[in-house]
């Protein structure tokens, strides 16, 4: 399938996630389109029936500990590779979880420059 670039925002205050597509010139898509509105993101998605009880607290939703560089996050059946994060996020993970080394995830220069 087609590979596209997204920015994932995680909100620490309530463990919610928002996913926005990074616009590319002449793609035919609306710029800054919201792929997923801000909400709790379930770890498992096996179709609409798996969303029963969606929104309840528990470990069935992604939390800050799940978002590490190099990990693949399932966003309603679509796999998204986390290949980088901003300096504030790196500082937070260092202070909260002791993460000091960040893996180098190979992605094309086109992808890296799309979000700069």
């Amino acid at each position: 399938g087609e590979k596209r670039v997204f920015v994932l925002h995680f909100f620490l205050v309530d463990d919610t996630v928002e996913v926005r597509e990074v616009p590319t010139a002449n793609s035919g898509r609306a710029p800054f389109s919201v792929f997923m509105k801000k909400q709790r993101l379930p770890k498992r998605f096996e179709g609409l029936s798996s969303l029963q009880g969606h929104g309840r607290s528990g470990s069935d939703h992604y939390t800050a500990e799940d978002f590490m560089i190099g990990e693949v996050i399932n966003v309603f059946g679509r796999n998204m590779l986390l290949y980088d994060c901003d300096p504030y996020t790196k500082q937070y993970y260092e202070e909260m979880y002791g993460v000091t080394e960040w893996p180098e995830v190979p992605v094309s220069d086109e992808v890296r420059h799309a979000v700069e």
Side-chain angles (χ1 to χ4, degrees), residues 24-29:
T24 55
N26 300 318
S27 68
R29 293 190 176 85

Side-chain angles (χ1 to χ4, degrees), residues 74-86:
N74 182 319
V75 180
F76 296 115
R78 292 174 176 87
N79 290 330
M80 296 194 173
L81 170 66
L82 303 178
Y83 69 88
D84 203 0
C85 62
D86 62 21

Side-chain angles (χ1 to χ4, degrees), residues 14-32:
D14 57 3
D15 287 349
T16 55
V17 178
E18 173 188 68
V19 181
R20 292 185 168 263
E21 184 174 1
V22 175
T24 55
N26 300 318
S27 68
R29 293 190 176 85
F32 302 102

Side-chain angles (χ1 to χ4, degrees), residues 81 83 103-108 112:
L81 170 66
Y83 69 88
E104 186 81 25
V105 178
V107 294
S108 70
R112 286 205 184 273

Side-chain angles (χ1 to χ4, degrees), residues 62-112:
Y62 286 107
T63 63
E65 295 173 355
D66 298 309
F67 294 99
M68 295 289 185
I69 292 176
E71 293 294 318
V72 174
I73 301 297
N74 182 319
V75 180
F76 296 115
R78 292 174 176 87
N79 290 330
M80 296 194 173
L81 170 66
L82 303 178
Y83 69 88
D84 203 0
C85 62
D86 62 21
Y88 172 81
T89 302
K90 287 181 180 179
Q91 178 183 347
Y92 175 82
Y93 275 83
E94 184 175 339
E95 292 172 4
M96 294 301 295
Y97 305 112
V99 177
T100 57
E101 306 236 353
W102 299 95
E104 186 81 25
V105 178
V107 294
S108 70
D109 287 340
E110 180 182 335
V111 169
R112 286 205 184 273

